[in-house]
Amino acid sequence: MSQVLRDLMVRAAEDAPEVRVDPGTWRAARRARRRERVLATMAAAAVLVGVVGIASQAGSLLPGSGEAAPAEGHREPAMPSRVHAVPEHLDGERPDGTWSYPRAETLEIGVAAVVFTTSGYAPVAVSALDGEYHLLDLPGHERMSGFRFEDGSFALSPDGRRLAYTWNKPASDVDAEVYVPSGIRIVDLLSGEVESHQVREGFGVFAHGFAWSPNGRYLTYNMQIANTSQSGTSGTRNFFVERLDTRTGERLKASGLPMTEVAPAVTDAGTVVTGTGTTLLTWQPDQGRETIDLQQSPRWRGSLTGFGAVPGEEKVYASAGLEYSRIFVGRLDSPFSFQRLAGGMRWLSPVGPVDADSQAVLEETELGTSLWTSGPAHVRSGVLVEIEGAGGAHYSFATTLLQRPTRDFPAPQWPMSTTQKAVRGAILVGVALIVLMALAVLGRRYRRPAGLLG
């Protein structure tokens, strides 16, 4: 730079007016700068959260997602501390009569802790090893049989390895005026094999009110005969009680025992027990029918509503009463031996022994259903299993597992319904739009040229 040019610039600077910047301009610039930094930080956080959310939620929309994974590290079977209800969209019916969601591909599911019916009367088994839920497709099991028979159309064996159920599902090409193959079937849940016991009576039969002996040898049930065609109606007097020896396959009618509203029970010695009102009825092949009048006991109150056999003894648990229920235990040879074990405000059902001094009791109330223990002196010692869902469902427990501690299995992750997937998809689209807007803000932030204040 020449000296002349330098002198000219100095004189120009001396003659120029003084520049004064309003202090508010500097404050506004600082605020704009802070705003820009906060916005950029929020946009970056939105991008991060959105990417994580999309990655975690998008997988649930894929086929096969949402299935509960087995619990690792457990080898001993156990009763779950909580039984979860099955969503309605999994046990509904399509227009063609098929299930709205596929059933389990195999009956080889291992030891089951509990089997119960859904709101659509589908049988569901809960694994005793990993707590996984299996929606069962029992061959020959009519899905609406649970609606016909409130005392249950299936029963889980005490060790949880076998499941007995009624078999009566005619093929579509069977003439309505001929006998329909029907009877009892027993599933081996360890192998998936199905054992059939056909009963040839009338136009077919329906079995219900199943009960196993505590040692798992005997199975007893009510049997209703369809003595008219499928297009007609069955008579109310066409029924009997039967006992099946699962070791030999021998089936015997319990002569003289009427079918009652109370499901029968069977002891380890093979004694079939049923009853109505305050009358207890027993049957053995070599002894026939015997009657016990429970009103002879000064301790007895109420009418019979349920039975359960005591392991290794000729004793039974009996429930009585509806509005106020009671559980009694006593020997089959004496009405005076019956003593009260527990009481409750609504329906109580004996399930099985927990130990020498306590009994598991299933209680159904307006507030829900639970399985709890009744200890000495009629004291409720604690809840064993909490059960979700409305009352009226049928439950069958592996009673030998009641003598072990319950386990907190992971809650099942049910597959979503079409509506749930649509809502989840809309949420993901919204998150994606937020991410795109955040990226646009960040792009504008870094593309903006630096000005005098930048």
Side-chain angles (χ1 to χ4, degrees):
M1 179 184 296
S2 64
Q3 185 61 40
V4 176
L5 181 57
R6 185 186 301 274
D7 294 340
L8 290 174
M9 293 179 65
V10 169
R11 285 198 297 270
E14 291 175 349
D15 296 336
E18 182 179 0
V19 177
R20 295 182 179 275
V21 179
D22 187 354
T25 302
W26 296 108
R27 288 195 297 270
R30 284 193 294 269
R31 285 197 299 269
R33 185 66 170 175
R34 284 196 299 268
R35 247 189 337 264
E36 193 173 85
R37 288 177 177 175
V38 171
L39 186 59
T41 302
M42 293 176 62
V47 171
L48 179 61
V49 172
V51 171
V52 172
I54 292 175
S56 62
Q57 298 296 325
S60 61
L61 300 177
L62 300 176
S65 63
E67 297 178 356
E72 300 293 341
H74 299 301
R75 296 186 179 275
E76 292 295 325
M79 186 70 63
S81 59
R82 187 176 188 85
V83 174
H84 299 269
V86 177
E88 291 186 4
H89 71 270
L90 296 184
D91 67 347
E93 184 177 320
R94 299 189 183 97
D96 61 359
T98 59
W99 293 105
S100 60
Y101 190 79
R103 308 294 94 179
E105 295 181 357
T106 176
L107 297 176
E108 186 181 348
I109 64 173
V111 178
V114 57
V115 178
F116 65 96
T117 52
T118 65
S119 59
Y121 306 104
V124 180
V126 183
S127 171
L129 292 175
D130 55 23
E132 188 173 356
Y133 285 62
H134 301 271
L135 278 69
L136 302 180
D137 185 11
L138 300 174
H141 183 265
E142 174 60 49
R143 64 174 295 180
M144 294 306 291
S145 61
F147 174 76
R148 293 190 184 101
F149 309 113
E150 294 182 356
D151 52 2
S153 58
F154 58 80
L156 186 63
S157 65
D159 60 6
R161 296 169 179 259
R162 293 174 292 172
L163 179 65
Y165 67 94
T166 185
W167 155 42
N168 187 312
K169 189 175 182 180
S172 57
D173 58 348
V174 173
D175 189 339
E177 302 298 326
V178 301
Y179 163 77
V180 173
S182 52
I184 310 301
R185 280 182 171 169
I186 301 176
V187 180
D188 186 328
L189 299 177
L190 300 185
S191 65
E193 297 179 355
V194 180
E195 172 186 316
S196 295
H197 298 272
Q198 187 167 340
V199 181
R200 296 186 176 274
E201 297 280 353
F203 284 86
V205 297
F206 286 99
H208 53 99
F210 287 89
W212 292 82
S213 61
N215 60 10
R217 175 173 178 173
Y218 294 103
L219 182 68
T220 188
Y221 39 84
N222 292 319
M223 191 73 77
Q224 185 165 337
I225 307 170
N227 69 338
T228 58
S229 67
Q230 297 175 45
S231 58
T233 58
S234 297
T236 58
R237 297 180 178 272
N238 303 301
F239 49 73
F240 56 91
V241 179
E242 190 172 83
R243 188 194 74 177
L244 169 65
D245 188 336
T246 61
R247 293 182 185 176
T248 65
E250 180 186 39
R251 294 186 2 257
L252 295 174
K253 288 185 180 180
S255 302
L257 288 190
M259 186 188 77
T260 68
E261 295 180 356
V262 182
V266 60
T267 68
D268 283 343
T271 302
V272 179
V273 184
T274 186
T276 181
T278 59
T279 302
L280 192 68
L281 303 173
T282 67
W283 175 88
Q284 269 280 16
D286 55 346
Q287 299 175 359
R289 171 180 133 169
E290 295 186 2
T291 303
I292 297 178
D293 183 6
L294 295 172
Q295 284 185 315
Q296 296 181 28
S297 171
R299 305 181 185 89
W300 188 266
R301 296 290 186 277
S303 297
L304 289 165
T305 57
F307 296 109
V310 176
E313 301 184 57
E314 286 293 274
K315 298 173 66 176
V316 294
Y317 299 103
S319 58
L322 293 177
E323 291 302 320
Y324 184 84
S325 296
R326 306 166 183 84
I327 300 290
F328 299 89
V329 63
R331 300 193 314 272
L332 292 177
D333 59 354
S334 173
F336 299 98
S337 64
F338 280 83
Q339 298 180 355
R340 178 182 164 186
L341 286 181
M345 294 307 296
R346 292 299 296 273
W347 190 284
L348 301 182
S349 301
V351 175
V354 178
D355 52 44
D357 299 319
S358 58
Q359 158 77 14
V361 177
L362 184 68
E363 181 176 22
E364 298 182 53
T365 70
E366 295 178 351
L367 300 178
T369 304
S370 63
L371 186 69
W372 48 269
T373 58
S374 174
H378 317 160
V379 176
R380 182 185 300 205
S381 57
V383 175
L384 279 175
V385 182
E386 295 181 357
I387 301 175
E388 290 183 356
H394 178 61
Y395 300 92
S396 183
F397 299 89
T399 54
T400 57
L401 299 182
L402 298 173
Q403 302 172 23
R404 305 179 184 179
T406 59
R407 184 173 300 150
D408 296 329
F409 290 111
Q413 300 176 11
W414 302 112
M416 291 189 297
S417 66
T418 302
T419 302
Q420 290 172 322
K421 288 184 177 181
V423 172
R424 185 67 58 86
I427 293 174
L428 290 178
V429 170
V431 172
L433 291 175
I434 293 174
V435 170
L436 291 176
M437 293 175 62
L439 289 174
V441 170
L442 287 177
R444 179 176 175 274
R445 162 74 177 84
Y446 290 108
R447 287 195 305 270
R448 182 179 178 181
L452 295 177
L453 302 177

